[in-house]
Amino acid sequence: MLSTLRCLPPIGVALLALLFACLARAENLVIPGSGNPEHVLGQLAKAFNERQSQHRVIVPPSTGTAGAVRDVGEGISSLGRVGRSLKDDEARQGFVHVPLGRDPVVIVGGAQVGVRKLTSAQLLDIYGGKIRNWSELGGRTAPIRALGRENSDASRQALGRSIKPFKDLVFDPAVKVVHLDPQLIELLDRYPTSLGFLNRSALGAAQSKLVHLALDGVDPTPENVEQGRYPAWVELGLIHKPNGLTPAGRAFLDFLRSPDGLGLLRQHGILPASGAR
């Protein structure tokens, strides 16, 4: 190797040194954490990776917001994804929170659901076991296969803030509670008369044409979230330690704040954070 370098002209040595320096700064940035922003961040990572070749962003399957806090806190990852506000004990660890935007929580039906709107009272009756068939809501005769989430889920908590009785509602035994977004989407795809709730951008991973239901006459759009008409939403974001961002992390955050990045957020139904516009 040394003899090869001696044979190169000075400009060749300089170019080779520059190449090695660039390769040394190249990075695979893995962003673990919440399932809420998993799909949209996967799409943003794909766009970022296609626009430059130095760094590669990877969005692995969900480990929850707690997984992001753990991995970033322990220095395993420099950047993590969160789908809720940090708890007090998490915030005390000194994370920098980078908000991405508000994502409406959508009441969503399978492809054969003919109903296009629900009231809060009807939603409570479905998950409480009082309404079990779509015909009771003006739809075709078909069972409502209700899918729920655990109490700690960000989308369930968002519905509980906007529909107070939903917060402490005991789900009917027939409601199937799932723990991961991909599992919920798989069941919505598999059962065309099912009903569930999830942040809007995550539904981009669905294979079938799912139905978004208006809640109390209001559609789950970013515009209605911005105007305060649709109160059920989750705040998507990223966390990192102070001075803990790597060059790839800084480059990816710059992309998220760029017109291309903000456009992709809006394209997936997210109202970008005000500071990012």
Side-chain angles (χ1 to χ4, degrees):
M1 179 67 178
L2 184 59
S3 61
T4 302
L5 288 175
R6 286 171 178 165
C7 295
L8 289 174
I11 189 170
V13 175
L15 288 174
L16 192 60
L18 181 60
L19 174 62
F20 285 152
C22 290
L23 290 174
R25 289 195 298 269
E27 180 187 348
N28 281 344
L29 174 66
V30 179
I31 308 179
S34 171
N36 295 110
E38 181 177 329
H39 178 73
V40 69
L41 272 179
Q43 297 301 305
L44 286 160
K46 179 181 177 182
F48 174 78
N49 293 340
E50 289 173 348
R51 283 164 171 75
Q52 52 78 54
S53 57
Q54 183 176 12
H55 305 298
R56 181 168 178 260
V57 173
I58 301 166
V59 180
S62 172
T63 55
T65 292
V69 170
R70 179 192 64 241
D71 288 353
V72 174
E74 294 178 0
I76 297 171
S77 299
S78 64
L79 200 60
R81 59 187 200 261
V82 297
R84 58 166 171 79
S85 299
L86 295 182
K87 299 175 183 177
D88 290 343
D89 61 322
E90 295 169 340
R92 283 194 292 270
Q93 297 181 46
F95 296 104
V96 176
H97 179 259
V98 182
L100 296 179
R102 294 180 177 181
D103 196 357
V105 173
V106 181
I107 310 302
V108 60
Q112 291 182 13
V113 172
V115 173
R116 292 296 182 269
K117 59 183 179 180
L118 288 177
T119 65
S120 295
Q122 289 170 334
L123 187 69
L124 290 167
D125 284 345
I126 290 171
Y127 281 92
K130 295 179 181 179
I131 296 178
R132 298 179 180 273
N133 199 288
W134 287 109
S135 62
E136 300 175 65
L137 299 169
R140 59 193 287 266
T141 300
I144 300 174
R145 297 178 178 271
L147 307 171
R149 305 302 296 267
E150 68 276 14
N151 286 329
S152 61
D153 176 72
S155 57
R156 180 168 176 176
Q157 291 179 350
L159 284 175
R161 288 192 296 270
S162 58
I163 306 172
K164 298 303 182 184
F166 199 82
K167 179 180 179 181
D168 299 314
L169 180 67
V170 176
F171 286 170
D172 182 75
V175 175
K176 182 173 179 59
V177 176
V178 297
H179 302 285
L180 297 175
D181 294 349
Q183 182 185 10
L184 178 64
I185 294 170
E186 178 188 354
L187 292 173
L188 287 166
D189 281 332
R190 186 188 308 173
Y191 299 110
T193 64
S194 56
L195 181 76
F197 51 88
L198 193 64
N199 56 300
R200 178 171 172 159
S201 69
L203 293 171
Q207 301 298 311
S208 60
K209 190 174 182 180
L210 302 179
V211 177
H212 294 181
L213 281 70
L215 182 61
D216 294 324
V218 182
D219 290 322
T221 64
E223 294 76 18
N224 283 333
V225 169
E226 185 172 33
Q227 295 166 11
R229 300 185 64 237
Y230 195 86
W233 46 267
V234 294
E235 180 79 61
L236 305 183
L238 299 168
I239 58 170
H240 63 85
K241 281 287 194 175
N243 303 317
L245 277 180
T246 61
R250 286 191 291 271
F252 187 56
L253 288 183
D254 287 343
F255 170 70
L256 296 180
R257 299 182 180 110
S258 71
D260 284 349
L262 294 174
L264 279 169
L265 287 171
R266 294 189 184 96
Q267 181 181 322
H268 285 81
I270 296 170
L271 175 67
S274 57
R277 295 188 207 186

